[in-house]
Every structure is written in C-alpha cells, then in structure tokens.
Amino acid sequence: MKAIVTVMLKNGVLDPQGKAIGHALHNLGFPQVGEVRMGKIIELELAETDAAKAKTAAEDMARKLLANTVIESFKVEIAA
Amino acid sequence: MKAIVTVMLKNGVLDPQGKAIGHALHNLGFPQVGEVRMGKIIELELAETDAAKAKTAAEDMARKLLANTVIESFKVEIAA
C-alpha cells in the first residue's frame, strides 16, 4: 500500500524558495505567475493491507520525522 | 487559478534522500516502510481563467525551470 505525504509551509510562513521560483518564472516570460509556494512530497511503500492503519502510521511518521509541525502542515493520501 | 506541479525522480534514478528517510523511519520504529521516494511540489497562483491554458502554461514552466526532465518527471494538476 502506498502512502503519499505532502508537506507544505504553513500560511504566513515566509517561503524564500517559492519567491525565488516566482522571480525566475517572471524573468523567463511568465508574467501571469502570482504567489508560488514550494513543498515536499514523500511516497512511502508500506507493508500494510488496511488503509486506515496505513494512514495512521503515515501520519505518525509525518509528525515524528517528515514534517516540522511548528512551521509546516502535512496531508496524507493513501493510494492502492 | 491554482496549478500544482509535482516533480518526482524518474523510476530507476537513485534517490538518496528517499533512502535516508527510509532508514530513519526504520530506526524510529516503523519496520513496515519499504521503498521511499521524495519529490517536490510547487503551487503556482496563475492570473488565468482558462483551465486548459493554465495547464499548458504550467507544463511549459515545468519543462523550462521546475523539473530537470533528464532525471525527473512532472505532473500538473489544476485546482479552481
């Protein structure tokens, strides 16, 4: 079973990487770009057959290691 | 209109970051974790009302800046 953990900076936390990407896109000729935010995506292959258990485990991993919950929020999706 | 670009290493390309996360999760007491792959997610706010045009523009940005298409693949989703 595959769990996909998406980690993004919380709203209000400055995102210099996103800002840099925004500037670069403007310079490359994409004036339509407004705010840009960048995050991480972590795909975990889990030896688990129960989707609910897999989700709980992945959320636990996100809290313990993958996300810094002071400044980042995370979301877990389970794919078959 | 919001475009979400997901950039992952192609299959077969070594992912040392993912490997490190996998080891760390094992050490933290998650033996059920198998392969781990890590990628980037970029949320773009676009001044565009047409979803098809927004998608084309975001794909163009991904090819020109966001993804290294030699080793990375990308996916664009449009959110309202």
Side-chain angles (χ1 to χ4, degrees), chain A residues 43-47, chain B residues 18 22-23 26 30-37:
Chain A
E43 285 187 9
L44 304 157
E45 195 58 54
L46 299 178
Chain B
H23 285 300
H26 279 221
F30 296 104
Q32 73 270 50
V33 176
E35 213 201 341
V36 181
R37 300 203 49 94

Side-chain angles (χ1 to χ4, degrees), chain B residues 8-29:
Chain B
M8 297 294 294
L9 284 169
K10 284 182 182 169
N11 282 334
V13 178
L14 205 67
D15 182 354
Q17 263 190 306
K19 284 260 182 302
I21 292 172
H23 285 300
L25 288 173
H26 279 221
N27 293 340
L28 279 172

Side-chain angles (χ1 to χ4, degrees), chain A:
Chain A
M1 190 154 268
K2 204 184 231 177
I4 297 169
V5 181
T6 312
V7 180
M8 298 293 295
L9 284 170
K10 283 182 181 170
N11 282 333
V13 179
L14 205 67
D15 182 354
Q17 263 189 306
K19 284 262 182 301
I21 292 172
H23 285 300
L25 287 173
H26 278 221
N27 293 340
L28 279 172
F30 296 105
Q32 73 270 53
V33 177
E35 215 202 339
V36 180
R37 301 209 43 99
M38 188 166 174
K40 300 178 280 192
I41 188 160
I42 298 126
E43 285 187 9
L44 304 157
E45 195 58 54
L46 299 178
E48 186 73 72
T49 48
D50 184 80
K53 272 192 200 166
K55 189 165 184 187
T56 310
E59 285 173 351
D60 209 17
M61 294 175 205
R63 263 187 296 269
K64 283 195 181 151
L65 180 75
L66 306 174
N68 174 356
T69 52
V70 177
I71 53 166
E72 292 171 329
S73 61
F74 66 87
K75 197 178 69 188
V76 174
E77 282 166 90
I78 299 294

